[in-house]
Amino acid sequence: MSISLGVVMDPIQSITIQKDSTFAMLLEAQRRGWNIWYMEQSDLFLEGDKTYSRMQQLKVEDNPSHWHDLSSERIKPLDELDVILMRVDPPFDMEYIYTTYLLEQAERHGSLIVNRPQSLRDANEKLFTARFPQCCAPTIVARNHSHILTFLEKYGDIILKPLGGMGGASIFRIRQGDPNTNVILETLTSHGTQFTMAQRFVPEISAGDKRILMINGEPVPYALARIPKPGETRGNLAAGGSGRGQPLSENDFKIAREVGPTLREYGILFAGLDVIGDYLTEINVTSPTCIRELDKQFNLNISGTLMDCIEEKLR
């Protein structure tokens, strides 16, 4: 099956290929003989009811000293591509939202967008967990300090995080009596003008923040437990955590079964569930990672499963 694939991503020259899931997807698409076209957000533009882009043909190589070649630059409608991977990292800001509107026009004209643009807007990676309260630790989202302080008084030890970040950025742990509480609240809520999320601290973070990858609502049977470095409460690899693969537990499978049908309903073909202990903490839909680490540790081909799914959707 001859397929043209576009990828909208952060600058390819700046990625670290050993841990970049987008790169893993591109290697698999190239292995299948697909034509790959590279784009950045700044290349997209809307004219009339069609979205166009400056795009360059992309060849990739699993070589840390030379991993990409770009050629054959052109400007074409996005809907001339069969499938487009939206793989731009957060922050999920208004520019990100505007990009989803442009991609939605290509979807209207027949391209398959992974993940569905409307779902990227609707499924906020923090707030989407509210659809599955049976899977989550106690949580509150507020911008009024008094609500968060009451939550802190009730649970004594909480995690605070912004709603649009990634990689552990601006995540704080606060215990009752912490003298920095007010300044942390002021910073995260921008003096009560922005919503922030608080979750009861889950001490099992010491065993890792598990990333469970989901393809069309079905889990990869192994998770990457991201272990915090000493003195940290964040397991994110970007925050210095180390990744250790492990089979999914029965509780992990239970959470995946709860979330999977909704992911399929939303057209979210590729997602990452974050699980600490027995609790779902986030549902990552923008640019989930950890493919390369799991592939390497368990001799998997997660991108192959995803591309099989894409082929089936295109049929």
Side-chain angles (χ1 to χ4, degrees), residues 58-108:
L58 174 64
K59 299 291 185 184
V60 289
E61 180 182 351
D62 200 359
N63 178 351
S65 62
H66 182 83
W67 58 88
H68 72 285
D69 286 296
L70 295 169
S71 62
S72 303
E73 180 177 325
R74 67 180 193 176
I75 294 178
K76 291 288 185 180
L78 284 187
D79 56 76
E80 290 190 5
L81 301 171
D82 297 309
V83 58
I84 299 165
L85 303 176
M86 174 52 173
R87 293 288 301 174
V88 176
D89 286 340
F92 193 88
D93 54 16
M94 285 307 301
E95 287 303 306
Y96 208 113
I97 290 174
Y98 296 147
T99 301
T100 68
Y101 288 128
L102 269 61
L103 291 172
E104 201 164 39
Q105 288 302 109
E107 182 182 52
R108 289 183 62 247

Side-chain angles (χ1 to χ4, degrees), residues 16-25 27 62 87 209 211-213 220 222-227 235-246 270 287-303:
T16 302
I17 66 169
Q18 294 91 334
K19 60 179 185 177
D20 193 280
S21 291
T22 305
F23 188 74
M25 296 175 192
L27 285 171
D62 200 359
R87 293 288 301 174
D209 180 355
R211 167 61 53 85
I212 301 170
L213 295 178
V220 173
Y222 299 92
L224 190 73
R226 296 159 297 170
I227 314 295
N236 310 74
L237 300 181
S242 58
R244 182 186 306 156
Q246 58 188 53
F270 187 63
S287 57
T289 188
C290 296
I291 286 179
R292 301 221 77 185
E293 294 89 344
L294 288 170
D295 279 356
K296 181 178 180 180
Q297 292 188 39
F298 298 104
N299 194 28
L300 304 175
N301 182 7
I302 295 169
S303 296

Side-chain angles (χ1 to χ4, degrees), residues 26 30 43-44 49 68 81 102 111 134 141 154 173 178 183 207 228 230 253 256 261 279 312 314:
L26 297 176
Q30 181 173 277
D43 294 319
L44 306 178
D49 71 337
H68 72 285
L81 301 171
L102 269 61
S111 292
Q134 71 277 18
V141 175
K154 182 176 182 179
R173 179 183 179 184
D178 189 323
V183 70
F253 277 113
Y279 298 106
E312 183 62 30
L314 292 175

Side-chain angles (χ1 to χ4, degrees), residues 93-155:
D93 54 16
M94 285 307 301
E95 287 303 306
Y96 208 113
I97 290 174
Y98 296 147
T99 301
T100 68
Y101 288 128
L102 269 61
L103 291 172
E104 201 164 39
Q105 288 302 109
E107 182 182 52
R108 289 183 62 247
H109 286 284
S111 292
L112 173 66
I113 314 296
V114 180
N115 287 313
R116 183 183 292 165
Q118 180 179 343
S119 295
L120 290 176
R121 297 193 298 271
D122 290 350
N124 175 273
E125 301 191 329
K126 310 297 190 296
L127 288 169
F128 201 43
T129 59
R131 293 187 61 123
F132 312 99
Q134 71 277 18
C135 299
C136 300
T139 301
I140 187 173
V141 175
R143 61 186 198 179
N144 186 307
H145 292 187
S146 65
H147 298 314
I148 300 172
L149 290 171
T150 299
F151 186 81
L152 173 60
E153 184 178 357
K154 182 176 182 179
Y155 293 104

